Amino acid sequence: MTKVGIIVGSLRTSSFSKQVADNVAPLFPEGYVTEFVEIGHLPLFNQDYEGDLGTPAEYTEFRNTVKELDAVLFVTPEYNRSIPAALKNALDVASRPYGESVWNGKPAAIISQSPGALAGFSSNHNLRQVLSF
Ligand SMILES: Cc1cc2nc3c(=O)[nH]c(=O)nc-3n(C[C@H](O)[C@H](O)[C@H](O)COP(=O)(O)O)c2cc1C
């Protein structure tokens, strides 16, 4: 079974992104299993967590969850021509410590949405740029 983690960029209760994700998840073919991975509870990244403050338990749990995934599907809105802070925070958290990013080597796909005229183009573009690291 190929395990695909679905990460939704919006924390909003009635999020359109979450609704899109809910509808896409059942479309994966046989041989795939999907799992929603939560990001809203992660403390804001602070590099001091790599030193004096120690690693928050939420970080360790999140990194371990991502590590177990075979692939990741991001479903995100556009915020101010980029991705929401909660999503960037999650990407930063699991990319550290330096050299130990648990995103490395994982295939990823992006769905962006916005009721705006460009339908989340810029968040898609920005997320690709972040993932290139
Ligand atoms: C802080 C903020 C910034 C936004 N910036 C943009 C934007 O730059 N471009 C755009 O098309 N929509 C923008 N929107 C609209 C959201 O993309 C839209 O409401 C989206 O559906 C929210 O996603 P959600 O329904 O999953 O919560 C913004 C919304 C918020 C709250």
Side-chain angles (χ1 to χ4, degrees):
M1 280 295 213
T2 301
K3 195 174 183 184
V4 180
I6 302 180
I7 297 184
V8 175
S10 170
L11 308 182
R12 195 166 72 91
T13 310
S14 305
S15 162
F16 294 141
S17 308
K18 177 65 165 55
Q19 292 176 48
V20 170
D22 283 339
N23 281 280
V24 167
L27 301 180
F28 278 86
E30 211 173 302
Y32 289 81
V33 60
T34 57
E35 171 186 318
F36 281 88
V37 179
E38 298 300 325
I39 59 171
H41 62 299
L42 296 170
L44 271 185
F45 182 77
N46 178 343
Q47 211 174 346
D48 287 338
Y49 289 137
E50 294 176 358
D52 292 348
L53 292 182
T55 309
E58 295 93 333
Y59 282 18
T60 304
E61 190 193 4
F62 181 66
R63 287 167 180 160
N64 287 338
T65 300
V66 172
K67 210 182 288 183
E68 294 302 312
L69 301 173
D70 297 304
V72 186
L73 172 64
F74 296 94
V75 187
T76 184
E78 177 166 312
Y79 277 9
N80 297 311
R81 294 290 183 266
S82 188
I83 56 173
L87 178 54
K88 182 60 163 59
N89 187 51
L91 288 159
D92 290 342
V93 166
S95 74
R96 301 291 298 192
Y98 182 77
E100 295 176 36
S101 171
V102 290
W103 304 113
N104 278 353
K106 292 190 197 301
I110 301 170
I111 298 174
S112 58
Q113 69 74 29
S114 165
L118 295 181
F121 158 77
S122 215
S123 61
N124 198 300
H125 190 68
N126 273 274
L127 181 50
R128 281 169 187 275
Q129 188 176 356
V130 175
L131 294 179
S132 70
F133 188 78

